[in-house]
């Protein structure tokens, strides 16, 4: 195992309870899943499982497909996907894995606290889905 995976900075204990490490790559990659207990196709559509990716090199493909690294392999990227074609439109790029890991934890907390405007990321509103997702996150949405 490489140095990059030897220390997750105790990520499991630092994440909000709703997030869990879904997979750990030998190269230091992490995939986190939000509430996989409810995104089971019965309560929520499984393809809509929010995921956080910590990757060495920018992800060039969507979840469910093995990512290919670009020439930016020295940098680490953090990407939040709400479903395969819907992601947070921010480039979260860091020179070290430790810095990217800190952002991964912070972004997981912001999502869990309802601070991420996921409605704005969708081109086609899904109001019933949003209302149910609001119930899971800390978003009171009392506009």
């Amino acid at each position: 195992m490489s140095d990059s995976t030897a220390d997750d900075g105790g990520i499991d204990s630092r994440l909000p309870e709703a997030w869990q490490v879904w997979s750990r790559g030998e190269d230091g990659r992490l995939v986190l899943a939000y509430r996989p207990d409810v995104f089971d196709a019965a309560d929520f559509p499984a393809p809509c499982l929010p995921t956080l990716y910590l990757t060495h090199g920018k992800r060039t493909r969507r979840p469910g497909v093995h990512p290919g690294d670009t020439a930016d392999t020295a940098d680490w990227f953090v990407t939040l996907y709400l479903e395969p074609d819907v992601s947070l439109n921010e480039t979260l790029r860091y020179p070290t894995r430790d810095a990217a890991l800190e952002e991964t934890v912070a972004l997981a907390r912001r999502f869990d606290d309802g601070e991420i405007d996921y409605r704005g990321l969708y081109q086609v509103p899904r109001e019933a889905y949003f209302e149910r997702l609001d119930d899971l996150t800390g978003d009171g949405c009392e506009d």
Side-chain angles (χ1 to χ4, degrees):
M1 187 175 283
S2 70
D3 291 338
S4 61
T5 58
D7 181 15
D8 282 6
I11 192 167
D12 294 297
S13 64
R14 296 171 50 212
L15 289 171
E17 188 175 312
W19 285 93
Q20 64 181 263
V21 175
W22 194 258
S23 71
R24 288 178 166 88
E26 288 185 20
D27 60 355
R29 296 174 194 243
L30 287 175
V31 178
L32 308 180
Y34 182 77
R35 295 295 308 267
D37 59 317
V38 297
F39 285 87
D40 60 3
D43 294 320
F44 283 91
C48 294
L49 173 70
T51 52
L52 267 167
Y53 284 78
L54 170 65
T55 57
H56 196 206
K58 188 173 177 92
R59 287 189 56 81
T60 57
R61 299 185 186 166
R62 297 296 186 193
V65 178
H66 189 286
D69 287 343
T70 66
D72 299 323
T73 58
D75 290 330
W76 289 86
F77 291 81
V78 178
T79 309
L80 171 65
Y81 287 99
L82 295 171
E83 54 187 85
D85 292 323
V86 180
S87 62
L88 187 62
N89 296 325
E90 295 178 18
T91 299
L92 302 174
R93 180 179 185 166
Y94 301 90
T96 67
R97 185 175 185 278
D98 287 342
L101 190 60
E102 290 302 316
E103 178 58 29
T104 302
V105 171
L107 189 54
R109 289 187 186 284
R110 288 187 5 235
F111 184 87
D112 192 52
D113 290 342
E115 296 175 17
I116 303 295
D117 176 22
Y118 41 79
R119 285 174 174 75
L121 302 177
Y122 282 81
Q123 292 181 353
V124 178
R126 299 173 61 165
E127 292 306 322
Y129 170 71
F130 293 155
E131 289 173 14
R132 295 180 71 206
L133 190 55
D134 289 343
D135 291 339
L136 291 177
T137 66
D139 186 8
C141 247
E142 298 174 17
D143 299 333

